[in-house]
């Protein structure tokens, strides 16, 4: 059962468990770890909002984590380096995972032809994230996906409103520009869900790893007809961390539908669906503007199975494997002999089921 409860009640629940474990059971200097799993970290900054049901903000959680002796946080898609730094500045480890690999695997399994498909970003602010996704999809498909990113230009009207959206430019990934520092020794990309690499380095234009250095500008705003001859009637992939009202995403989807005859497929981590978002998305799906919306289940919505366009994907296995990986690393550092036994256990073949 999911229901609202006052913020002070949520913090008391957090304290009743974490404070007892982190500061009484695990005394300072003991061998032991206390970690939190937080699927959705609220990045909003309106801490003084007079709403008893407001979310517990990320900075507040970091303060409480330090107070209760928490050693690590496992969370989903905090794209801001500042967000993770609230914890890392307090020497609290952050495992910041995304669904990028799952979404790319899903696309590879569901599509035989990537020709003409492209990654769409509704504004310049999302360009780096779109480029990272395009780059990884290119490599996973061995170049069948072109590595193309299409960027729209958004003009706002007042607070939260969008007056106009139009084609700005397109970019193409150039694998020849990949820097050897962006790869592991086996040639695989340093993973997108490496928190520091993504938030601190990929988006920093002064950094060697800046993702923009791997892309070449393809077509300008006045060359839209040239682009249309390549991507017309093909799928636009929208990759973002969150859907709130849905206005920006649907405005972008409608624009590329009008310009290029594209339907959009959205792959998102957090489905906030505020205001009339579900109504807007229903309408866009019925009009064949969007092909579907994939999200995690970090935020639970009743009756999601009744909406043909919405596919929530479970986080349970991803969180489990992430936590297990983190703890195995810790065990290796502190108990190498026991770690070896864990490795041997994990390497065993599963027992045959008892059919009787």
């Amino acid at each position: 059962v999911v229901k609202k409860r006052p913020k002070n009640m949520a913090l008391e629940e957090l304290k009743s468990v974490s404070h007892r474990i982190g500061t009484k059971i695990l005394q300072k200097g003991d061998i032991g770890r206390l970690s939190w799993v937080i699927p959705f970290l609220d990045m909003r900054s309106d801490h003084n909002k007079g709403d008893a049901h407001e979310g517990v903000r990320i900075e507040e959680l970091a303060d409480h984590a330090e107070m209760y002796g928490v050693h690590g946080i496992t969370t989903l898609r905090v794209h801001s380096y500042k967000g993770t730094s609230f914890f890392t500045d307090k020497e609290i480890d952050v495992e910041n995972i995304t669904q990028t690999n799952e979404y790319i695997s899903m696309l590879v399994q569901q599509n035989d032809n990537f020709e003409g498909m492209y990654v769409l970003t509704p504004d310049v602010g999302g360009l780096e994230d779109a480029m990272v996704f395009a780059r990884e999809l290119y490599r996973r498909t061995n170049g069948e996906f072109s590595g193309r990113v299409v960027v729209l230009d958004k003009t706002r009207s007042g607070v939260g409103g969008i007056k106009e959206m139009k084609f700005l430019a397109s970019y193409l990934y150039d694998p020849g520009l990949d820097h050897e520092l962006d790869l592991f020794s086996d040639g695989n990309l340093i993973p997108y869900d490496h928190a520091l690499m993504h938030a601190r380095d990929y988006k920093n234009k002064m950094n060697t790893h800046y993702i923009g250095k791997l892309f070449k500008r393809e077509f300008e705003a006045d060359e839209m007809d040239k682009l249309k001859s390549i991507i017309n009637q093909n799928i636009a992939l929208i990759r973002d961390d969150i859907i709130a009202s849905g206005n920006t995403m649907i405005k972008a989807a409608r624009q590329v539908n009008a310009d290029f005859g594209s339907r959009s497929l959205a792959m998102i981590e957090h489905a906030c669906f505020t205001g009339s978002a579900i109504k807007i998305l229903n309408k866009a799906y019925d009009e064949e503007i969007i092909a579907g919306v994939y999200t995690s289940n970090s935020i639970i919505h009743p009756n999601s199975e009744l909406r043909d366009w919405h596919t929530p994907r479970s986080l349970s296995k991803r969180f489990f494997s992430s936590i297990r990986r983190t703890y195995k690393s810790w065990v290796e550092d502190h108990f190498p002999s026991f770690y070896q036994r864990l490795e041997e256990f994990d390497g065993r073949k599963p027992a045959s089921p008892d059919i009787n």
Side-chain angles (χ1 to χ4, degrees):
V1 177
V2 179
K3 61 181 180 180
K4 288 184 177 181
R5 63 192 190 281
K7 176 178 174 178
N8 57 358
M9 184 184 295
L11 290 175
E12 281 300 316
E13 290 175 357
L14 201 62
K15 178 181 178 180
S16 66
V17 178
S18 296
H19 185 268
R20 182 161 49 90
I21 296 173
T23 62
K24 293 184 178 179
I25 296 177
L26 295 177
Q27 297 293 328
K28 189 173 182 180
D30 284 353
I31 296 296
R33 280 183 63 91
L34 168 63
S35 293
W36 280 351
V37 177
I38 310 175
F40 179 45
L41 276 171
D42 196 336
M43 289 293 295
R44 292 175 295 172
S45 59
D46 48 341
H47 295 265
N48 297 317
K49 186 176 177 181
D51 178 1
H53 294 103
E54 67 166 333
V56 182
R57 309 296 192 235
I58 188 169
E59 191 171 3
E60 293 176 290
L61 278 172
D63 290 339
H64 284 281
E66 183 181 37
M67 188 188 311
Y68 303 149
V70 173
H71 297 85
I73 302 291
T74 299
T75 188
L76 180 71
R77 188 72 187 272
V78 180
H79 69 276
S80 166
Y81 176 57
K82 181 179 179 182
T84 59
S85 69
F86 286 127
F87 295 97
T88 56
D89 287 350
K90 301 177 188 297
E91 299 184 350
I92 298 171
D93 297 333
V94 176
E95 180 82 357
N96 184 22
I97 66 177
T98 79
Q99 291 182 293
T100 291
N101 286 329
E102 289 93 328
Y103 285 144
I104 288 178
S105 295
M106 176 193 74
L107 289 170
V108 170
Q109 292 168 15
Q110 294 180 356
N111 294 276
D112 297 325
N113 184 9
F114 287 89
E115 186 178 354
M117 196 178 287
Y118 59 96
V119 178
L120 171 66
T121 176
D123 54 43
V124 176
L127 180 58
E128 285 91 354
D129 281 332
M131 285 178 167
V132 170
F133 190 70
R135 174 200 190 202
E136 294 208 356
L137 185 55
Y138 176 97
R139 292 179 64 89
R140 283 284 294 275
T141 59
N142 295 316
E144 291 181 27
F145 174 72
S146 65
R148 179 174 287 108
V149 175
V150 172
V151 190
L152 302 183
D153 186 25
K154 180 172 63 179
T155 304
R156 291 198 174 275
S157 60
V159 179
I162 301 172
K163 180 180 179 181
E164 184 183 27
M165 198 173 275
K166 58 185 179 181
F167 171 67
L168 176 64
S170 66
Y171 294 80
L172 268 181
Y173 168 59
D174 184 346
L177 297 175
D178 246 321
H179 196 285
E180 62 179 7
L181 295 178
D182 293 323
L183 306 176
F184 286 124
S185 58
D186 61 3
N188 290 318
L189 286 171
I190 294 174
Y192 174 74
D193 51 1
H194 188 297
L196 293 180
M197 175 62 73
H198 174 63
R200 181 190 64 194
D201 297 344
Y202 279 153
K203 294 185 176 184
N204 182 356
K205 294 183 179 181
M206 304 302 293
N207 194 283
T208 304
H209 297 287
Y210 176 59
I211 188 67
K213 294 179 180 180
L214 308 182
F215 282 75
K216 292 183 177 179
R217 195 138 169 152
E218 183 187 27
F219 296 116
E220 302 294 336
D222 59 356
E223 299 177 295
M224 191 174 77
D225 287 342
K226 293 180 181 179
L227 178 62
K228 184 174 181 179
S229 67
I230 300 173
I231 66 173
N232 197 42
Q233 301 295 319
N234 281 289
I235 290 288
L237 304 173
I238 300 177
R239 181 74 179 97
D240 208 345
D241 61 330
I242 191 169
I243 296 181
S245 68
N247 288 326
T248 299
M249 190 190 82
I250 294 304
K251 185 79 173 176
R254 289 188 179 280
Q255 192 62 50
V256 295
N257 183 263
D259 290 343
F260 309 118
S262 296
R263 294 179 73 196
S264 295
L265 180 67
M267 290 159 287
I268 315 292
E269 263 81 11
H270 305 294
C272 289
F273 292 160
T274 60
S276 56
I278 290 175
K279 182 179 179 181
I280 292 171
L281 291 162
N282 276 333
K283 188 172 187 291
Y285 181 75
D286 290 342
E287 295 174 356
E288 298 188 347
I289 302 298
I290 60 172
V293 178
Y294 288 87
T295 72
S296 76
N297 62 349
S298 65
I299 301 173
I300 305 296
H301 290 276
N303 304 318
S304 61
E305 71 280 358
L306 301 179
R307 295 187 282 272
D308 293 336
W309 51 267
H310 184 207
T311 306
R313 299 170 69 88
S314 174
L315 288 171
S316 301
K317 289 183 178 179
R318 187 69 198 276
F319 275 136
F320 174 79
S321 61
S322 173
I323 294 165
R324 184 170 173 77
R325 182 174 66 251
T326 303
Y327 272 79
K328 281 186 70 175
S329 176
W330 177 82
V331 170
E332 183 180 18
D333 291 340
H334 292 85
F335 304 101
S337 60
F338 182 64
Y339 172 80
Q340 185 60 40
R341 290 172 59 192
L342 278 178
E343 286 289 278
E344 293 171 359
F345 180 83
D346 286 348
R348 295 188 313 172
K349 292 183 178 179
S352 300
D354 183 358
I355 60 174
N356 295 320

